[in-house]
Amino acid sequence: MRVAVIGGGISGLVAAYRLRAALGDALELTLVERTERIGGILYTGEIAGRPIDLGAEAFVGRRPEIPALLRELGLEEQLVFPAGLRPLIWSAGAAHPLPERTLMGIPAGPDAVTGLVDDATLTWIADEPNRPLRWERGGDISVGALVADRFGEQVVRRSVDPLLGGVYAGLANTIGVRAALPTLAAALDAGAPNLSRAVSDALPPPSTAPVFGGIRDGYRVLLDALLGAAAPKLETGTAATALERTARGWRMDPVGEVDAVILATPAPATARLLRAAAPAAARAAAEIELSSSALVALALPADTPLPGNSGILVATGEPLRAKAFTLSSRKWTHLAHRDVALVRASFGRFGDDIPLSWTDAELITAATEDLSTVTGLRLAPRTAVVRRWRGGLPQYAPGHNARIAAIEAAVAELPGLAVAGAYLHGVGVPACAATGIAAAQRILGEAS
């Protein structure tokens, strides 16, 4: 069986691995990647001579996909967990504890955000259950519009935006409720009389299990293992240019004739490739926009007295350029023993030109100055590394689920074709891996 996987990010690599595991030598597998390396937005670089992730660094530990892959590939000893510290939010020129028991920063009542927002906002939140709620069952609006109406703009800027900015490199006003917060949409659809009640109903039960996990030596350990186990014919630096249905399968340029194709490409590239074969899917995919970001890793002297927190998120509207800091040497115990203190500074929300327009030197200066501001320390990094992510994260705008349903319905009508990627059912690494697994299962199911 001849299969082409287009896209060498985690979604495509997992799909390729699952195909090889199922078919063995009966599979003729080609993996095509537009850039010169595999991994997509996962990238492990080096700073001070040691590995550090310069894209995603963690995954949701309560999902099974990544731990399961590590076990299967003999890498279980690479699984690590954070130290259990909580982040801060920098707002109104001061650091505040991250509110507890919120849903992506949305509180179920005023107590969660006391101290983060002003008294007038707290009163508005407390009164929210007494105001009529207008919610169209099955509808969708931006998270920002919903929260601002019910709880006020300060909650959006100081609590919700910092968290959504970390997940999507977006803003509450550009992210839809139904795709980003499905449990909240379900609670509202079920008839919750107000947002406070809906958030309370949607909150997960308390758990002592680690929320996040990581990989000790960086994501490249997993990426390399997936590639080795999948053993495809690897074509890097090669763009897939055309996809055409044939009598017996597909023609994928430049691969040629194949029995099946998995498109593990970003939404705009998927739209281009599906234009002829699945025009309805192409139109829906073309509506999904991307956000760019940049990351600066700073190596500071080992004795730098960083705060005892996992990170510092920055509220929107603050006179800072960075949107967040990960205090990596505090967050991860395996990084705490290095001979430098490590901090990652993140830049870029949807529509922000800083990540792509600023030079490396400008980003490093901004990262150092902003970190000095939020910590109150005079900092002089020993070294720094910059990594840019052009169009790295899809925006789950209002109506996103309907777009994805249109894409998947159209693709389902075409045997031997499957899609995977971060734009489908979540931008996190486990969600991406799950789409790769599902794509491989679709192809295997048709072949059996």
Side-chain angles (χ1 to χ4, degrees):
M1 185 176 183
R2 298 166 300 168
V3 181
V5 176
I6 312 302
I10 186 68
S11 304
L13 286 169
V14 169
Y17 166 65
R18 289 295 186 215
L19 289 171
R20 178 65 71 194
L23 298 175
D25 292 340
L27 173 66
E28 182 181 320
L29 178 63
T30 302
L31 179 64
V32 179
E33 167 55 41
R34 177 183 58 83
T35 70
E36 296 293 340
R37 64 169 193 88
I38 62 165
I41 63 169
L42 301 181
Y43 176 74
T44 306
E46 286 192 356
I47 190 166
R50 302 286 296 277
I52 184 171
D53 279 317
L54 299 174
E57 58 151 8
F59 55 84
V60 177
R62 296 171 185 173
R63 289 194 59 149
E65 291 87 355
I66 303 306
L69 286 170
L70 292 173
R71 285 193 299 273
E72 290 177 32
L73 294 164
L75 299 171
E76 191 168 10
E77 79 285 351
Q78 285 282 333
L79 181 62
V80 294
F81 299 101
L85 303 176
R86 289 189 57 81
L88 300 169
I89 290 182
W90 182 264
S91 176
H96 306 265
L98 180 76
E100 297 190 34
R101 296 292 293 164
T102 70
L103 191 68
M104 197 61 76
I106 308 174
D111 291 349
V113 290
T114 298
L116 182 61
V117 299
D118 62 23
D119 290 344
T121 299
L122 293 175
T123 300
W124 185 246
I125 297 170
D127 184 61
E128 191 266 340
N130 300 319
R131 301 193 301 273
L133 173 67
R134 295 184 298 276
W135 173 262
E136 180 183 347
R137 181 175 297 179
D140 200 11
I141 62 173
S142 75
V143 176
L146 175 64
V147 176
D149 176 57
R150 305 304 297 180
F151 291 158
E153 285 287 347
Q154 283 191 8
V155 175
V156 175
R157 294 195 305 271
R158 300 181 183 184
S159 187
V160 182
D161 268 348
L163 290 163
L164 285 176
V167 175
Y168 296 98
L171 294 163
N173 289 336
T174 67
I175 303 297
V177 172
R178 193 161 293 278
L181 300 168
T183 58
L184 180 62
L188 292 166
D189 285 346
N194 50 69
L195 184 57
S196 301
R197 175 63 181 273
V199 171
S200 179
D201 290 346
L203 282 170
S207 172
T208 58
V211 177
F212 297 108
I215 299 178
R216 181 182 302 277
D217 295 322
Y219 270 111
R220 72 180 176 197
V221 172
L222 175 59
L223 299 173
D224 289 346
L226 287 169
L227 182 64
K233 177 185 178 184
L234 181 61
E235 304 266 3
T236 57
T238 303
T241 56
L243 178 65
E244 180 184 0
R245 191 85 173 97
T246 67
R248 299 182 60 183
W250 296 90
R251 176 180 294 279
M252 169 57 73
D253 291 337
V255 177
E257 295 272 353
V258 294
D259 299 302
V261 174
I262 293 176
L263 298 180
T265 45
T270 303
R272 290 192 295 271
L273 291 170
L274 290 179
R275 193 172 295 143
R283 287 192 294 271
E287 294 177 0
I288 299 172
E289 298 186 274
L290 306 180
S291 181
S292 298
S293 59
L295 189 136
V296 179
L298 302 173
L300 304 166
D303 59 355
T304 303
L306 295 172
N309 300 91
S310 61
I312 304 171
L313 308 177
V314 180
T316 51
E318 294 296 305
L320 300 177
R321 289 132 313 173
K323 68 178 181 184
F325 299 93
T326 303
L327 306 179
S328 302
S329 295
R330 295 284 190 258
K331 181 175 180 178
W332 301 99
T333 54
H334 69 285
L335 297 179
H337 305 296
R338 294 192 181 181
D339 57 2
V340 292
L342 298 173
V343 177
R344 297 174 7 133
S346 300
F347 294 82
R349 296 182 175 96
F350 183 65
D352 186 353
D353 67 349
I354 286 178
L356 303 182
S357 64
W358 284 23
T359 66
D360 286 5
E362 289 172 326
L363 286 168
I364 292 168
T365 297
T368 304
E369 291 177 351
D370 287 358
L371 182 61
S372 297
T373 296
V374 300
T375 60
L377 303 172
R378 299 183 66 178
L379 301 172
R382 290 183 176 178
T383 186
V385 179
V386 176
R387 186 77 188 183
R388 290 177 175 79
W389 298 106
R390 180 185 295 272
L393 286 172
Q395 297 301 285
Y396 280 39
H400 184 80
N401 285 5
R403 297 183 192 96
I404 300 308
I407 294 168
E408 293 182 330
V411 170
E413 298 296 321
L414 298 169
L417 180 65
V419 293
Y423 67 92
L424 289 170
H425 300 293
V427 299
V429 177
C432 293
T435 67
I437 293 168
Q441 289 173 340
R442 170 171 163 77
I443 301 304
L444 293 169
E446 292 176 349
S448 61

